[in-house]
Amino acid sequence: MKFLIKYTMAAAIGLSFTGCSKDFLNTQNPKQPVEGSFWKTEADAVSAVATIYSPIRNQMYGYYGAITGYQTMNRADDMWMLAGEGGDSGVDQYTSFTNTPGTAGSDFGSLYNGINRANVFLKYIDQIPMDEAKKKVLIAEVHFLRGMYYFLLAANYGNVPIRLLPAVDDTGSGSKASSPEAEVWKQVIADFNVAKGGLPVTRPGAEQGRVTRGTAIAYLGKALVYTKQYAEAETELKALLTTPYNYDLVPNFEDNFKPSTKFNNESVFELAYDGLLGPGGVWGNDSPNGQLGFQLPQFCGSAGTGAWFKLVPGISIVRDFVSEERPAGSNTRFDKRMYTSFFWKYSDYEDTTDIKDEKWFGDQPFDTLWKAAQTKMSVNVGLTYPDVRGKKGRFLIKKYTNFYINKPDANSMYDAAYRNNNLRVIRFAEVLLLHAEACAQNGNTTAAAADLKRIRDRAGLANKTWGGKEELMKEIEKQSELEFFFEGHRFFDLKRWHTPAEIKQIFIDNKKQGASNFQPKHFYLPIPQDEINTSTEIDQHPLWK
C-alpha cells in the first residue's frame, strides 16, 4: 500500500467538506485545494482514494488501530485486558461491559469520516478526464471501502444513519436519522456487489495492499452470512475456492503474523504499514502519511520486552487449545496454532524431544518473561489459567507481538524498524470457515466437513467426522475461536450464533472479566453521546436508551 505514502494532505483537504455551507467563503486560498480546483487529474483521484483507507489503518486510533477499534473488537472471552492500565481511551470499560455512551474511544466518527471521503470521491470522479477502465476500478474500490465502513458500523452499532452523499449535500443541518440495521446491511451488500463487478482479480506489485475482487467477494460472503442469507453466501464464497483465485492456507500458521511473509496466499486483505516511511511520528494523526507504523505489538507485548503489556490470553482460550491433543506420533503435543498464539515454556507440558524451549527478545527464557509479568497479572483477580498435565498454566500472548525479533526491547513504539508488520484483516481461513458455516446451514454437510478438514489438518488435529448440522456448527464455533484468537472475530461470531442470555452464560462459564455486567445492550456499542448532542436527528440504539 505504498501508494498511500506518496500522496500529501491535499487529498485529505479535498475530501473534507463536512462542516461549512458552500457560500461560507467566497474567496479561494491559492495554496490549498478546494472543490473547484482539486478534482482535475488522475493523480488527484488516486490520492483521494488513499485518504479513504486512512481512517481504518491510522495507528493508534484507526478502527484497526492499537487503542480504539482493535481493542473494542476483542471484547469477548478469548482476551483479558489487564486491570489498572487507565489512559487508553476507555477500552477497559468496553471489555468489562461498564461502558456508557460517554465512554471515550469510539470509532463511530472516524468510520463516517471514511464514508464521507468515499461520498465526496463518488460525487466528483466523473468530472476527471481519465481512462474509463481505470476509473471503473477506482469507483469499485471506493464502493468497497464505503461498504466496509458500513459493515463495521452495522456489526458494532446496529441502527445508524445511511449517508450516500457528502455530508454538506445530504441534509441542510448535517444531521440525519438512524436507519434500521437491516437497511444498513442492504447498503453494505449493495456496495460490495458494485465492488465485485469492477475490481481486478490481482494487483501489480506496486499496488499491494489495495483491495481486489477476491477481497470484495470475501466481504460480500461475510455480510451474507452475518445476515443469514446462507444460500447466497455459499455461492459467493465458493467462488474463492477455485480459479482464477489462488488462495490457500499457508503450511506454517505463523507465516500469517510475520513481516517477512506479508501478502502470502492466505492473505485476502491486509493493511500494509511501513514504520520507516513518512513523517507520522509515534502518535500520528489522520493524514495519509500519519502513523504509518504497526503499533499493536506495543500493547500486547510481554513485560520485559519494551512493550506496555496490557493484554493476556483469556482463561477459556487456553483451556480450549489444550483440550484436543494431536494424534499419536505427532512431533508436538498441542494444536500447532497454539505455538504461534502463546508464549509458554514447552518443557512444562511437552513430553517429546522434537520441540525445544525457545528464547525470545534477546534470548530471554519464558521464566524471565513470566516473572516480569507478575506485577501486573497478580492484581487481576480471577486470572488463573487451568493446570496443564498437572502443572500450573502459564501463558502470554505471542500472536502480533514482535516475537520474530530476538532482540531486547524490540518494541514497536520507539523503534521504526520494529513496526513494519502488516495487520491481516481477512485470511483465507476465514473464507473457509464462513463457507463451512453457510454450507452447514444449507444442509451441504459434505462441503462444510471438507472446509473444516483443511483447517484442522493445518493445525495438526486428528481426523474427525460430524453427524450433521448441529455437530458441524459446534466444530465451526470451536475452530473459529482457536484460529482467530486475538484477531477480533470471537465477539461477532458469538453474536451470530447465540442470544444475549446465552452469551452472558458463556462469558460466566469461561470466567471472562466483567461477565456479570453483560446485558442485551452490549450486543452493540452505543452511539457516542457527543454525536447525540450535536446531531439533532440521530437516534441512539433502542437498547441503549
Side-chain angles (χ1 to χ4, degrees):
M1 200 182 288
K2 291 188 178 180
F3 87 109
L4 283 168
I5 299 165
K6 292 169 58 180
Y7 299 100
T8 68
M9 279 296 294
I13 296 169
L15 285 167
S16 299
F17 302 102
T18 62
C20 300
S21 61
K22 293 180 182 178
D23 60 352
F24 181 70
L25 293 177
N26 294 319
T27 58
Q28 178 177 325
N29 183 343
K31 295 182 180 181
Q32 291 187 344
V34 295
E35 293 182 32
S37 65
F38 177 75
W39 300 93
K40 298 295 185 181
T41 68
E42 181 177 320
D44 291 339
V46 174
S47 62
V49 172
T51 71
I52 303 171
Y53 279 89
S54 67
I56 53 166
R57 70 188 293 271
N58 184 40
Q59 301 283 29
M60 304 277 184
Y61 299 99
Y63 180 80
Y64 289 104
I67 290 184
T68 55
Y70 198 78
Q71 306 303 343
T72 61
M73 282 195 301
N74 285 286
R75 58 190 190 270
D77 51 4
D78 59 334
M79 297 299 303
W80 187 293
M81 177 166 286
L82 293 171
E85 282 304 304
D88 286 347
S89 299
V91 292
D92 54 330
Q93 296 177 37
Y94 292 110
T95 56
S96 61
F97 309 116
T98 57
N99 60 299
T100 71
T103 300
S106 171
D107 284 278
F108 186 88
S110 67
L111 296 177
Y112 274 103
N113 191 10
I115 288 169
N116 191 64
R117 292 178 182 184
N119 289 339
V120 173
F121 175 94
L122 293 172
K123 175 181 177 179
Y124 288 103
I125 183 60
D126 282 336
Q127 74 182 39
I128 295 180
M130 61 181 292
D131 178 79
E132 288 300 315
K134 291 182 179 180
K135 183 182 291 187
K136 181 180 179 181
V137 171
L138 291 180
I139 290 172
E141 187 170 12
V142 170
H143 273 281
F144 171 82
L145 291 169
R146 186 173 72 177
M148 182 179 63
Y149 287 123
Y150 276 122
F151 183 105
L152 297 174
L153 284 163
N156 281 286
Y157 298 93
N159 303 346
V160 296
I162 298 175
R163 292 186 177 276
L164 303 180
L165 297 171
V168 294
D169 297 336
D170 208 358
T171 65
S173 67
S175 180
K176 193 169 186 180
S178 297
S179 294
E181 181 180 348
E183 294 302 312
V184 184
W185 283 114
K186 287 180 182 179
Q187 182 58 48
V188 170
I189 290 168
D191 274 329
F192 288 159
N193 271 311
V194 173
K196 169 189 167 184
L199 284 168
V201 173
T202 59
R203 293 277 193 175
E207 295 183 357
Q208 272 192 331
R210 297 176 69 170
V211 296
T212 64
R213 188 180 303 170
T215 314
I217 293 172
Y219 264 92
L220 175 57
K222 186 172 180 176
L224 291 167
V225 169
Y226 271 50
T227 53
K228 304 187 186 304
Q229 300 178 67
Y230 297 117
E232 296 87 344
E234 180 179 348
T235 299
E236 295 292 345
L237 294 166
K238 183 179 179 180
L240 300 181
L241 308 187
T242 57
T243 55
Y245 306 99
N246 65 346
Y247 299 119
D248 200 359
L249 300 178
V250 293
N252 183 7
F253 182 70
E254 198 160 277
D255 284 345
N256 291 303
F257 309 100
K258 297 187 299 186
S260 60
T261 48
K262 300 174 181 178
F263 301 114
N264 57 44
N265 285 350
E266 192 164 339
S267 175
V268 179
F269 180 41
E270 62 188 75
L271 295 177
Y273 296 98
D274 192 335
L276 299 175
L277 296 173
V282 298
W283 294 110
N285 52 53
D286 197 31
S287 75
N289 292 325
Q291 202 56 42
L292 296 175
F294 180 66
Q295 301 290 8
L296 193 57
Q298 189 63 31
F299 284 73
C300 65
S302 299
T305 69
W308 291 342
F309 186 48
K310 296 175 182 290
L311 301 162
V312 292
I315 296 167
S316 58
I317 188 73
V318 172
R319 176 202 66 203
D320 291 345
F321 257 122
V322 302
S323 65
E324 186 166 9
E325 296 185 358
R326 295 187 64 200
S330 298
N331 62 350
T332 59
R333 172 161 289 278
F334 304 109
D335 185 317
K336 289 182 178 180
R337 295 167 296 189
M338 185 171 157
Y339 297 82
T340 297
S341 298
F342 307 144
F343 291 123
W344 84 92
K345 187 175 181 180
Y346 301 148
S347 58
D348 279 351
Y349 316 126
E350 299 278 356
D351 59 3
T352 69
T353 58
D354 294 331
I355 186 164
K356 306 295 183 183
D357 283 328
E358 294 185 5
K359 296 181 179 182
W360 302 276
F361 300 103
D363 289 330
Q364 295 186 74
F366 177 78
D367 285 339
T368 300
L369 298 180
W370 184 255
K371 182 178 180 180
Q374 293 315 293
T375 299
K376 286 187 178 181
M377 293 186 74
S378 62
V379 300
N380 282 260
V381 177
L383 180 57
T384 303
Y385 295 118
D387 289 351
V388 181
R389 308 192 73 202
K391 292 186 177 181
K392 178 180 175 60
R394 303 189 301 162
F395 299 90
L396 299 168
I397 291 177
K398 181 180 179 183
K399 185 187 282 188
Y400 279 134
T401 69
N402 285 337
F403 65 85
Y404 45 84
I405 302 172
N406 189 20
K407 294 182 180 179
D409 297 330
N411 65 75
S412 60
M413 178 57 67
Y414 305 110
D415 193 325
Y418 299 153
R419 55 176 187 259
N420 289 320
N421 206 352
N422 287 357
L423 179 67
R424 281 64 163 182
V425 178
I426 186 165
R427 302 191 275 112
F428 184 62
E430 184 177 4
V431 171
L432 285 174
L433 285 166
L434 287 168
H435 182 252
E437 182 177 346
C439 290
Q441 295 289 353
N442 292 332
N444 186 356
T445 56
T446 300
D451 294 333
L452 281 168
K453 178 174 170 52
R454 293 177 73 173
I455 296 291
R456 289 176 58 87
D457 281 354
R458 180 177 60 181
L461 302 179
N463 287 331
K464 190 174 182 179
T465 59
W466 300 276
K469 172 183 169 181
E470 289 188 7
E471 289 186 10
L472 283 164
M473 286 304 302
K474 286 181 181 178
E475 184 65 20
I476 289 166
E477 181 170 343
K478 182 173 183 182
Q479 292 307 315
S480 294
E481 175 196 20
L482 302 180
E483 180 75 24
F484 303 117
F485 161 70
F486 194 32
E487 295 182 56
H489 292 227
R490 173 75 169 163
F491 186 83
F492 302 97
D493 287 343
L494 292 175
K495 276 181 61 175
R496 211 162 60 250
W497 300 325
H498 298 285
T499 67
E502 290 171 341
I503 290 179
K504 181 173 184 174
Q505 191 59 53
I506 289 170
F507 287 166
I508 290 172
D509 292 344
N510 288 344
K511 301 180 182 179
K512 181 197 163 23
Q513 61 189 141
S516 61
N517 299 326
F518 188 84
Q519 302 175 43
K521 66 181 182 180
H522 293 114
F523 246 43
Y524 299 97
L525 298 175
I527 295 175
Q529 190 61 46
D530 58 356
E531 295 284 346
I532 301 294
N533 294 341
T534 58
S535 303
T536 56
E537 300 296 325
I538 200 169
D539 306 310
Q540 183 59 271
H541 194 284
L543 292 174
W544 279 94
K545 287 184 176 179

